[in-house]
């Protein structure tokens, strides 16, 4: 403003009647330029501060979960076998392939061992890269081998620090999504704080590090942030293309790292379909998102050696059906209200029918049954108001309604659908709770929401709205700090130590007293640890997305059923089993009620009456034989002829199978 005045003052003024008018115009013009410059500087400052806060909170989250992991296990002080045992169930299986790649003589030999694997499932050679989503382990192992860090960082720390680092990406993505929705980074700060303080419900990375979801969800959050930005209006063509590229990369990485990606993206596609049908989202952008989902999955399918489960996914059938239906039905969003509703109903029926037909056709050709245990369809009700009223009615409605922008509408439907999924499956709550932190913080920092509330209370002014928009979130943040900070500090000061001497003793015995080619049978969660700690061959394992493996596991688990020793021996030897491990925690299980224990499920499947007092189905009959896992411990001749006990402690009993000619 000073500069403008100096430039004007450099000229000789003329004393005429037009002078006051010219001075007024110049002052007005100078004020606009000054305001524009000041606003631009403020935006740059806000963007810089908001970005720094986002990075700080992301790094803080990574350090927080890493500290919790160290404090809980004393990971830096325990032995290697104890570190590996701490990767429970399927976590140990996934980490074993990272360890296998690290220990291979060369990268090529390591990859060959994964493509032609005969140690994960006995008497069967499988392609690990096809069956499981372990490309992240492959990439990380190659990175560890080529980087000059071997002398400074152990392989296990390189692995877990990468996962903890991804938590930073996760939190930053949630922060950015909330910021984009509300227009203020204060909303992102609130979302990140809620994510951290509700850690038990938002993540379990500190105690299940190698789980696929811990790899995938950060990329999913990045994808949602990119989609939120994509649905903003007035994007330049270059910005739109760059955003679409970001969506594709995030979608590809999400799909590559988690076998359940297709089901998550199916819900996402359903949200896009609903909003597109009601003309809330721009159709062209939605079409690109359908194409990106399909192309991302097909690229992953190619990398996984054309995995049939991906080709037969409902997502590909659904998205393809939408694109086909659009070419058949045109002008869906034109005409009167009744005409549009009729077209939309026919469109939905056509898409549903095509999806089922295409999916059935693909599965019939591929003979696909690997995903039959996963599908659980959810029903949700969505209410939509009328789209036409009189002008007076609209004016009254506008006083007490919020007009959702495309990005907010998408995130709302996304939150609702994933909330329904969380209600059905406990494991899926981590998808919903983290996004709920984003949407809740957006609601608290939203100008539209506070405008609605104040208008309904007849207290609306623009200044009051702005004050409340910032004041309430700040008060909320102070309350969060007051309530949760002491608990977080106590949690960080609580020191524990890994302690599982029975499992450690078992693994050490196996490594010292059995040949490298020995085949072990047992529970799938224990065998994952056997493979990781000892490298022995397994009969079954916890990666359950294969019908043949499910049938095999059911047969192996007859060791906990009421079967004769001859039957159990025959079953185990059919898989070339050399040793079988029995666990007292399964054989004498007391945690679950009658009818839910593993041995009860086996009895029902075999047509036998369950143990204990209680009702039984009328078609169940008493077994002719006692429970194998109990009776074998009596060392009766009918058992010792086939099984010899070679190891036992308070938890485990290992029996060697005789090799009859």
């Amino acid at each position: 403003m000073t500069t403008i005045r100096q430039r004007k003052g450099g000229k000789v003024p003329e004393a005429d009647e037009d002078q006051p008018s010219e001075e007024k115009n110049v002052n007005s013009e100078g004020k606009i330029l000054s305001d524009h410059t000041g606003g631009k500087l403020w935006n740059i400052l806000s963007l810089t501060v908001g970005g720094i806060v986002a990075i700080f909170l992301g790094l803080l989250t990574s350090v927080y979960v890493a500290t919790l992991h160290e404090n809980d296990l004393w990971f830096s002080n325990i032995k290697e076998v104890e570190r590996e045992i701490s990767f429970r169930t399927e976590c140990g299986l996934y980490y074993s392939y990272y360890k296998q790649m690290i220990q291979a003589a060369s990268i090529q030999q390591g990859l060959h061992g994964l493509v032609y694997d005969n140690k994960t499932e006995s008497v069967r050679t499988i392609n690990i890269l096809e069956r499981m989503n372990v490309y992240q382990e492959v990439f990380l192992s190659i990175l560890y081998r080529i980087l000059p860090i071997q002398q400074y960082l152990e392989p296990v720390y390189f692995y877990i620090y990468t996962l903890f680092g991804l938590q930073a990406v996760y939190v930053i993505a949630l922060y950015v999504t909330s910021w984009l929705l509300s227009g203020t980074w204060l909303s992102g700060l609130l979302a990140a704080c809620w994510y951290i303080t509700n850690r038990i419900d938002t993540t379990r990375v500190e105690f299940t590090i190698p789980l696929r979801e811990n790899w995938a969800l950060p990329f999913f959050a990045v994808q949602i942030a990119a989609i939120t930005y994509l649905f903003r209006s007035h994007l330049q063509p270059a910005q739109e293309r760059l955003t679409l590229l970001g969506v594709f990369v995030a979608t590809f990485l999400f799909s590559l790292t988690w076998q359940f990606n297709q089901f998550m993206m199916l819900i996402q596609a359903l949200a896009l379909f609903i909003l597109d049908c009601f003309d809330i989202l721009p159709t062209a952008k939605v079409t690109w998102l359908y194409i990106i989902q399909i192309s991302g999955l097909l690229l992953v399918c190619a990398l996984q050696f054309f995995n049939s489960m991906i080709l037969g996914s409902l997502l590909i059938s659904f998205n393809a059906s939408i694109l086909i239906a659009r070419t058949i039905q045109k002008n869906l969003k034109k005409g009167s209200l009744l005409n549009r509703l009729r077209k939309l109903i026919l469109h939905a029926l056509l898409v549903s029918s095509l999806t089922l037909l295409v999916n059935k056709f693909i599965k019939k050709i591929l003979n696909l049954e690997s995903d039959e245990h996963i599908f659980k369809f959810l029903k949700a009700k969505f209410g939509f108001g009328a789209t036409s009223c009189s002008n007076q009615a609209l004016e009254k409605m506008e006083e007490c309604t919020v007009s959702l922008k495309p990005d907010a509408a998408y995130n709302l439907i996304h939150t609702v659908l994933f909330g329904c999924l969380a209600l059905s499956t406990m494991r899926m709550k981590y998808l919903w709770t983290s996004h709920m932190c984003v949407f809740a913080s957006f609601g608290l920092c939203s100008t539209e929401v506070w405008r609605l509330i104040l208008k309904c209370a007849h207290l609306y002014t623009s200044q009051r709205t702005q004050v409340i928009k910032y004041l309430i979130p700040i008060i909320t943040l102070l309350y969060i700090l007051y309530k949760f900070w002491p608990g977080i500090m106590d949690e960080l000061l609580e020191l524990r130590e890994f302690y599982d001497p029975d499992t450690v003793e078992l693994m050490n015995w196996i490594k010292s007293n059995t040949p490298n080619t020995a085949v072990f049978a047992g529970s799938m969660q224990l065998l994952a640890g056997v493979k990781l700690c000892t490298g022995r061959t397994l009969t079954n394992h916890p990666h359950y997305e294969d019908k043949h493996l499910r049938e095999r596991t059911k047969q192996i688990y007859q060791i906990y059923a009421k079967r004769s020793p001859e039957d159990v021996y025959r079953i185990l030897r059919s898989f070339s089993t050399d040793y079988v491990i029995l666990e007292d925690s399964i054989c004498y299980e007391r945690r679950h009620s009658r009818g839910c224990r593993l041995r009860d499920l086996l009895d029902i499947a075999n047509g036998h009456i369950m143990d204990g007092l209680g009702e039984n189905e009328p078609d169940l009959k008493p077994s002719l034989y006692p429970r194998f896992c109990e009776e074998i411990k009596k060392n009766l001749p009918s058992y010792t002829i086939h099984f010899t006990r070679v190891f036992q402690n308070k938890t485990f009993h290992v029996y060697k199978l005789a090799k009859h000619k």
Side-chain angles (χ1 to χ4, degrees):
M1 199 164 184
T2 304
T3 306
I4 297 295
R5 287 179 177 174
Q6 287 175 346
R7 290 178 63 183
K8 183 64 181 175
K11 295 182 179 180
V12 179
E14 296 182 3
D16 57 22
E17 58 183 2
D18 294 333
Q19 178 66 26
S21 175
E22 290 178 5
E23 287 182 356
K24 182 177 180 181
N25 291 337
V26 171
N27 288 337
S28 176
E29 183 178 324
K31 185 176 186 302
I32 292 172
L33 289 172
S34 179
D35 290 345
H36 176 73
T37 304
K40 190 174 182 180
L41 290 173
W42 174 254
N43 289 336
I44 293 173
L45 179 62
S46 177
L47 186 65
T48 303
V49 173
I52 292 172
V53 172
I55 294 172
F56 171 76
L57 286 173
L59 295 175
L60 182 66
T61 305
S62 295
V63 173
Y64 176 49
V65 293
T67 304
L68 290 177
H69 175 258
E70 171 63 24
N71 291 355
D72 191 51
L73 299 175
W74 203 3
F75 201 75
S76 60
N77 190 64
I78 59 179
K79 300 176 182 177
E80 182 181 3
V81 64
E82 293 174 312
R83 290 176 178 174
E84 292 176 347
I85 292 172
S86 71
F87 297 138
R88 303 284 185 180
T89 64
E90 61 185 293
C91 297
L93 183 67
Y94 297 133
Y95 183 78
S96 72
Y97 300 118
Y98 170 76
K99 179 181 176 181
Q100 181 177 327
M101 284 290 297
I102 292 288
Q103 294 179 343
S106 64
I107 295 175
Q108 293 78 5
Q109 185 175 335
L111 290 172
H112 185 273
L114 294 179
V115 175
Y116 301 97
D117 181 277
N118 55 14
K119 296 183 73 67
T120 302
E121 296 177 17
S122 59
V123 301
R124 191 183 185 196
T125 299
I126 62 173
N127 186 342
I128 299 298
L129 295 181
E130 176 197 357
R131 282 274 298 277
M132 306 181 195
N133 296 70
V134 294
Y135 268 102
Q136 51 267 49
E137 276 77 20
V138 172
F139 172 76
L140 213 60
S141 63
I142 294 175
L143 201 60
Y144 183 81
R145 294 176 71 117
I146 62 177
L147 291 177
I149 58 175
Q150 289 87 348
Q151 296 180 351
Y152 314 104
L153 194 64
E154 297 177 61
V156 65
Y157 277 106
F158 184 65
Y159 186 90
I160 66 174
Y161 286 165
T162 300
L163 268 300
F164 294 146
L166 279 177
Q167 283 295 299
V169 176
Y170 198 1
V171 170
I172 291 172
L174 298 176
Y175 181 105
V176 170
T177 303
S178 187
W179 187 356
L180 289 171
L181 288 171
S182 66
T184 171
W185 57 263
L186 188 63
S187 176
L189 174 60
L190 188 58
C193 289
W194 268 332
Y195 177 87
I196 295 170
T197 54
N198 292 279
R199 175 186 53 80
I200 294 175
D201 295 314
T202 55
T203 183
R204 47 180 177 171
V205 66
E206 75 274 13
F207 61 91
T208 57
I209 299 173
L211 275 188
R212 304 299 84 182
E213 68 192 46
N214 295 328
W215 285 97
L217 292 186
F219 299 123
F220 194 48
V222 171
Q223 186 224 40
I224 294 171
I227 290 175
T228 301
Y229 184 76
L230 178 68
F231 285 140
R232 304 187 87 181
S233 57
H234 309 302
L235 285 185
Q236 297 296 324
Q239 292 176 312
E240 188 171 316
R241 287 193 295 270
L242 190 62
T243 305
L244 286 171
L245 177 62
V247 173
F248 173 77
V249 172
T251 301
F252 167 70
L253 293 174
F254 171 66
S255 303
L256 188 67
T257 51
W258 198 16
Q259 69 269 30
F260 295 141
N261 61 78
Q262 53 182 287
F263 306 104
M264 307 305 105
M265 290 197 295
L266 176 62
I267 296 176
Q268 188 178 58
L270 181 60
L272 295 171
F273 177 72
I274 293 170
L275 293 172
D276 184 37
C277 283
F278 287 89
D279 205 16
I280 298 175
L281 299 180
T283 301
K285 293 181 179 179
V286 172
T287 302
W288 272 112
L289 292 177
Y290 290 143
I291 294 172
I292 284 173
Q293 284 188 332
I294 293 175
S295 57
L297 264 187
L298 291 179
L299 181 56
V300 171
C301 180
L303 287 173
Q304 290 193 260
F305 297 81
F306 298 95
N307 185 305
S308 60
M309 184 175 169
I310 297 176
L311 291 174
S313 68
L314 202 58
L315 173 66
I316 289 180
S317 303
F318 181 69
N319 286 10
S321 299
I322 292 174
L323 298 177
I324 294 171
R326 279 186 177 172
T327 62
I328 299 174
Q329 289 180 297
K330 297 181 179 179
N331 300 323
L332 287 172
K333 301 172 184 176
K334 294 182 179 180
S336 64
L337 173 63
L338 291 177
N339 191 33
R340 288 179 64 185
L341 287 175
R342 180 182 61 82
K343 289 180 180 179
L344 287 177
I345 292 172
L346 290 175
H347 183 63
L349 290 174
L350 178 60
V351 169
S352 302
S353 302
L354 279 174
T355 299
L356 295 176
L357 288 173
V358 171
N359 192 253
K360 187 75 174 177
F361 177 72
I362 293 174
K363 288 187 174 182
K364 190 72 174 178
I365 292 178
L366 299 176
N367 193 26
L368 179 61
E369 296 177 310
S370 295
D371 60 350
E372 63 181 8
H373 66 298
I374 298 175
F375 280 105
K376 292 183 179 179
F377 293 97
L378 301 171
K379 296 181 180 179
K381 295 181 179 179
F382 297 92
F384 295 91
T387 57
S388 63
C389 306
S390 65
N391 290 336
Q392 291 181 350
L394 278 174
E395 290 175 1
K396 291 181 180 179
M397 288 174 63
E398 286 176 357
E399 292 182 1
C400 293
T401 57
V402 176
S403 58
L404 284 178
K405 297 177 182 177
D407 52 356
Y410 165 74
N411 280 275
L412 173 61
I413 298 297
H414 179 105
T415 303
V416 171
L417 292 182
F418 278 90
C420 295
L421 182 64
L423 289 174
S424 70
T425 310
M426 178 62 71
R427 182 174 184 176
M428 298 304 167
K429 75 173 182 178
Y430 300 103
L431 281 161
W432 175 70
T433 48
S434 58
H435 198 74
M436 194 63 201
C437 295
V438 170
F439 204 75
S441 62
F442 155 64
L444 209 59
C445 298
S446 171
T447 302
E448 291 80 6
V449 171
W450 288 115
R451 183 186 298 128
L452 167 68
I453 295 173
L454 292 175
K455 280 186 176 180
C456 291
H458 304 289
L459 297 171
Y460 172 73
T461 64
S462 60
Q463 294 85 355
R464 187 174 291 155
T465 303
Q466 290 299 315
V467 170
I468 293 178
K469 172 185 174 181
Y470 292 105
L471 181 61
I472 298 298
I474 291 173
I475 293 174
T476 304
L477 285 167
L478 292 174
Y479 174 74
I480 290 173
L481 188 66
Y482 167 76
K483 182 177 181 180
F484 292 100
W485 182 260
I488 291 175
M489 290 297 100
D490 291 341
E491 190 178 35
L492 290 173
L493 293 174
E494 187 176 356
L495 303 178
R496 291 193 282 268
E497 181 180 1
F498 175 87
Y499 185 75
D500 189 356
D502 290 348
T503 306
V504 171
E505 184 184 11
L506 172 67
M507 299 304 173
N508 287 333
W509 181 87
I510 292 174
K511 286 194 290 186
S512 303
N513 297 276
T514 64
N516 293 335
T517 56
V519 178
F520 278 79
S523 68
M524 53 186 181
Q525 60 267 27
L526 177 63
L527 290 185
V530 170
K531 184 181 188 308
L532 171 58
C533 297
T534 70
R536 302 303 189 262
T537 304
L538 314 180
T539 55
N540 54 308
H541 55 82
H543 194 272
Y544 224 47
E545 281 66 55
D546 180 76
K547 184 180 181 182
H548 177 85
L549 177 63
R550 293 194 292 272
E551 293 296 329
R552 175 187 280 224
T553 300
K554 183 179 177 181
Q555 290 296 309
I556 296 295
Y557 276 13
Q558 296 304 310
I559 59 179
Y560 296 109
K562 298 174 182 176
R563 298 291 294 269
S564 69
E566 291 79 16
D567 286 346
V568 174
Y569 176 81
R570 176 180 49 80
I571 291 170
L572 294 177
R573 285 303 300 162
S574 68
F575 301 117
S576 298
T577 305
D578 297 312
Y579 297 87
V580 59
I581 306 173
L582 298 175
E583 300 171 62
D584 287 346
S585 59
I586 299 177
C587 190
Y588 305 107
E589 184 180 359
R590 296 290 184 269
R591 291 181 302 167
H592 298 100
S593 60
R594 185 175 183 269
C596 296
R597 300 168 297 190
L598 174 60
R599 65 175 187 267
D600 297 333
L601 299 177
L602 291 168
D603 289 342
I604 294 172
N606 293 338
H608 298 152
I609 293 175
M610 294 181 289
D611 293 337
L613 299 176
E615 296 182 357
N616 289 282
E617 294 295 327
D619 58 334
L620 298 181
K621 299 179 181 179
S623 173
L624 298 176
Y625 303 97
R627 195 167 303 282
F628 176 83
C629 62
E630 297 177 359
E631 199 70 8
I632 192 174
K633 296 170 185 174
K634 297 179 181 179
N635 291 326
L636 299 175
S638 57
Y639 288 83
T640 56
I641 192 175
H642 303 296
F643 304 93
T644 303
R645 185 164 57 198
V646 291
F647 173 85
Q648 77 173 99
N649 59 23
K650 292 184 295 183
T651 305
F652 304 106
H653 302 260
V654 181
Y655 292 86
K656 184 176 182 180
L657 276 68
K659 294 185 178 180
H660 302 308
K661 294 183 179 180

